[in-house]
Amino acid sequence: MIERYAAFTDSPAGGNPAGVVLDASELTDPRMLEIAAELGYSETAFVTERDGDRYRVRYFSPLAEVPFCGHATVATAVALGPGDHLFVTNAGEVPVTVDTSGTATLTSVPPAVAELPEADLAALLGALRWDAGELDPELPPRVAYAGAYHPVLAVTSRERLAGLDYDVPALKALMTGRGWTTVQLVFRDGPDTFDVRNPFPVGGVYEDPATGAAAAAFGGYLRGLGLVADDAVLHLRQGDDMGRPSRITVRLVAGSPGVRVSGRAVPMG
């Protein structure tokens, strides 16, 4: 049975829709990809094995399998119900806790941050139709990882973020060549508050309304560059420009390498 949830929201009209298949043990890879394409959501999660509270979970976009997906993890965990769950993903083990209010908190695999080569930055800016002078010098371009790879670009203007209009073939080709899952585009609205957008052409989707994997990677980026405290709670707003508001909470805990990402999920009917 295919279930449909909206993640990182209290309303079915907000957040990022995800398909959830809690028993995919008999589905082939082509069939899982076909289901994901039929749904048309940025990702659908498939539970292919279960051993107690340990679950083998795979994620498919309409075009390809992805190693990890945060919003579909939140949706799947909420569908499973309150308690502690361990998801075994292509990126590694991801613990997820669900409380009685329907809020799920995942802990990412250890994050990493790498330089974004100048040639890749130039190509990325070209595909986005952005100018280097619009970038925020306080949040330097990097490639961040917490289960999937996401280049991080921050701008000084909320209006520039709102006016997203990228070259789809060019960005898709660049992301495919570099193994990037989404692009984390950022505007810092305060010390712990950020507006973000995530193009996802490699998945067959123009943009994600909420991207938990990128949120985890961004938390690792901020901590790795010393831009926030080792103990920090961050608030990410996403999806507003798409008419699907999403709210993502990122928590960094000193001494814990994984990044905690929290949000609610609700059935879409």
Side-chain angles (χ1 to χ4, degrees):
M1 181 177 72
I2 302 170
E3 301 181 51
R4 296 164 173 81
Y5 278 78
F8 295 113
T9 180
D10 292 324
S11 167
N16 197 355
V20 176
V21 180
L22 294 179
D23 183 5
S25 57
E26 297 184 1
L27 296 180
T28 64
D29 287 17
R31 180 55 183 149
M32 286 189 278
L33 183 60
E34 183 179 46
I35 290 170
E38 289 170 353
L39 287 175
Y41 301 151
S42 54
E43 275 94 8
T44 296
F46 298 86
V47 179
T48 59
E49 300 174 36
R50 177 175 183 174
D51 181 9
D53 290 325
R54 183 184 179 92
Y55 303 85
R56 175 70 173 103
V57 184
R58 297 173 64 185
Y59 309 91
F60 285 81
S61 77
L63 293 183
E65 184 172 11
V66 298
F68 175 65
C69 170
H71 86 277
T73 292
V74 166
T76 303
V78 170
L80 289 170
D84 297 324
H85 312 293
L86 180 64
F87 287 8
V88 181
T89 76
N90 287 359
E93 295 186 349
V94 178
V96 193
T97 299
V98 183
D99 66 21
T100 55
S101 75
T103 297
T105 299
L106 67 86
T107 301
S108 76
V109 299
V113 184
E115 295 287 336
L116 179 63
E118 286 295 327
D120 287 353
L121 174 59
L124 185 54
L125 289 171
L128 291 169
R129 303 187 176 105
W130 284 9
D131 185 270
E134 299 174 299
L135 299 181
D136 186 344
E138 300 298 320
L139 298 170
R142 293 290 189 275
V143 177
Y145 171 85
Y149 290 95
H150 312 266
V152 177
L153 285 188
V155 288
T156 56
S157 163
R158 180 66 180 88
E159 289 71 27
R160 164 40 85 199
L161 195 67
L164 182 64
D165 177 25
Y166 66 87
D167 182 329
V168 174
L171 187 58
K172 181 180 178 180
L174 177 62
M175 293 174 68
T176 300
R178 300 298 181 267
W180 299 338
T181 298
T182 71
V183 181
Q184 179 83 331
L185 306 176
V186 180
F187 169 74
R188 190 170 199 166
D189 192 43
D192 60 2
T193 304
F194 302 84
D195 290 289
V196 300
R197 300 187 74 171
N198 275 259
F200 187 35
V202 295
V205 176
Y206 187 82
E207 180 183 358
D208 253 352
T211 317
F218 184 56
Y221 158 92
L222 292 171
R223 180 171 60 188
L225 296 184
L227 300 172
V228 295
D230 287 344
D231 280 299
V233 178
L234 312 170
H235 304 282
L236 275 57
R237 297 185 297 237
Q238 191 175 344
D240 295 53
D241 298 295
M242 302 174 63
R244 294 196 68 93
S246 305
R247 299 297 179 260
I248 306 171
T249 301
V250 176
R251 185 182 177 198
L252 304 170
V253 178
S256 174
V259 177
R260 290 164 170 78
V261 175
S262 300
R264 297 199 66 203
V266 293
M268 294 180 64

